[in-house]
Amino acid sequence: MKRSSGRGTAPAVAAVLVVAALAVGCRPVTVTRTGAPDSKGVHLAPTTQAPPPLRSHAPPAAPAAPAERAAAPRPHRTGHPAPRAARPVMAAGAHGAQVRELQARLTQLGLFDRAPTGYYAAVTATAVRAFQKQQGLPRTGTVQPALWSALRARTHRPSRADLYPATSRPVGTPDPRCLTGRVICISKRSNTLAWVVDGRIVSAMDVRFGSQYTPTREGTFAITFKSRRHVSTLYHTAMPYAMFFSGGQAVHYSADFAARGYTGASHGCVNVRDKAKVAALFDAVRKGTKVVVYH
């Protein structure tokens, strides 16, 4: 039997090593010879260290925002919303008890020269503007809360007589000649007649006067005679409850005044449109009662 020369065994050994490498997990190794091949085989020398044990891989962290990128400034906000404009307490078109009170209070200040009606229209708005001017406030013609408070502070609470006066315009302060005795006190300024007893107004009523062609005379007079169902002999018109004080001029009821108001005028007499009131006055006065007609 021939002795093996060793050349045939080297390839076989190399094949075995390759199989072994595959079996250990495919880690790369280098096959080297330590010398001339001989029967003693080959030596294996690993050329790299074993890799570290496998670890679980976490998802990459999001990149940090650049330090120089500052947050955009936010608009400054206050803790409370901006206040809304105050709604007016009263304005044109309003009506009711509060408007009537407003008008009565403005009358106390001499700014409203009519009887309260409870309707907020042009005359009331003009009076409100006048008060706003006095207070140094914008002249809007509407009643704001501050204005209403100021008006209430400067006036007293209106009485029922203030809220529902007997005449369309305030009677005002009677003429000094009307303050003593029993006097029929007639004001052309306010278009009113007041029955005054010892300085106290007992009753008041709306009146109208003669036109510019037949004016009502002014001065101090006295009742000369009375006629309950008088008819004018000059104009042939009815003059109920006539109380004559200066020639043919008299205080009496006028159906025309009751129907048309201040659209018309008398021929010099003092017309009264409230029939019940003039009838009561007719019964109260006597011949010789003083009459004062003034402007």
Side-chain angles (χ1 to χ4, degrees):
M1 178 179 296
K2 292 182 180 180
R3 186 177 178 179
S4 173
S5 63
R7 292 180 181 177
T9 61
V13 173
V16 173
L17 292 175
V18 171
V19 173
L22 295 174
V24 297
C26 299
R27 289 185 294 179
V29 295
T30 302
V31 179
T32 60
R33 290 187 177 93
T34 57
D38 58 7
S39 60
K40 293 182 179 180
V42 297
H43 296 280
L44 299 177
T47 59
T48 60
Q49 296 182 352
L54 298 175
R55 298 178 182 176
S56 59
H57 295 283
E68 64 273 14
R69 183 182 297 174
R74 296 182 179 180
H76 177 70
R77 295 182 180 179
T78 59
H80 303 282
R84 295 181 179 179
R87 296 182 62 182
V89 177
M90 285 170 277
H95 60 87
Q98 192 176 38
V99 176
R100 187 178 291 272
E101 180 183 351
L102 166 70
Q103 294 167 335
R105 289 182 183 274
L106 290 169
T107 297
Q108 296 174 30
L109 300 177
L111 301 176
F112 189 77
D113 62 350
R114 310 291 171 85
T117 62
Y119 290 89
Y120 200 124
V123 175
T124 303
T126 299
V128 168
R129 290 190 189 96
F131 184 64
Q132 287 171 328
K133 181 179 179 180
Q134 290 182 359
Q135 300 301 306
L137 298 172
R139 284 176 279 177
T140 62
T142 61
V143 180
Q144 302 292 340
L147 182 78
W148 183 234
S149 298
L151 180 61
R152 295 182 67 183
R154 288 160 177 76
T155 55
H156 61 77
R157 184 179 182 86
S159 65
R160 180 169 180 80
D162 295 330
L163 295 171
Y164 299 92
T167 56
S168 299
R169 294 191 176 189
V171 175
T173 304
D175 186 273
R177 293 170 291 178
C178 302
L179 300 180
T180 57
R182 298 159 63 89
V183 185
I184 298 176
C185 195
I186 303 170
S187 170
K188 286 186 173 181
R189 181 181 298 273
S190 62
N191 290 340
T192 60
L193 180 155
W195 172 231
V196 183
V197 178
D198 297 329
R200 182 177 65 90
I201 297 176
V202 177
S203 66
M205 55 204 80
D206 293 327
V207 295
R208 74 177 183 182
F209 306 98
S211 67
Q212 60 178 331
Y213 304 107
T214 55
T216 303
R217 290 183 283 274
E218 298 179 16
T220 302
F221 311 94
I223 297 296
T224 56
F225 74 97
K226 299 164 52 180
S227 177
R228 187 179 296 272
R229 297 178 180 84
H230 192 78
V231 176
S232 170
T233 58
L234 183 60
Y235 300 104
H236 307 288
T237 55
M239 298 171 56
Y241 306 105
M243 295 164 276
F244 290 88
F245 61 87
S246 177
Q249 294 187 354
V251 175
H252 66 85
Y253 171 73
S254 169
D256 182 76
F257 183 27
R260 299 198 300 142
Y262 292 98
T263 302
S266 75
H267 293 98
C269 288
V270 178
N271 292 166
V272 180
R273 62 179 169 188
D274 191 317
K275 194 171 187 178
K277 286 185 177 181
V278 73
L281 178 65
F282 182 90
D283 292 338
V285 304
R286 299 288 183 267
K287 182 179 178 179
T289 298
K290 184 164 65 173
V291 179
V292 177
V293 182
Y294 66 99
H295 195 279

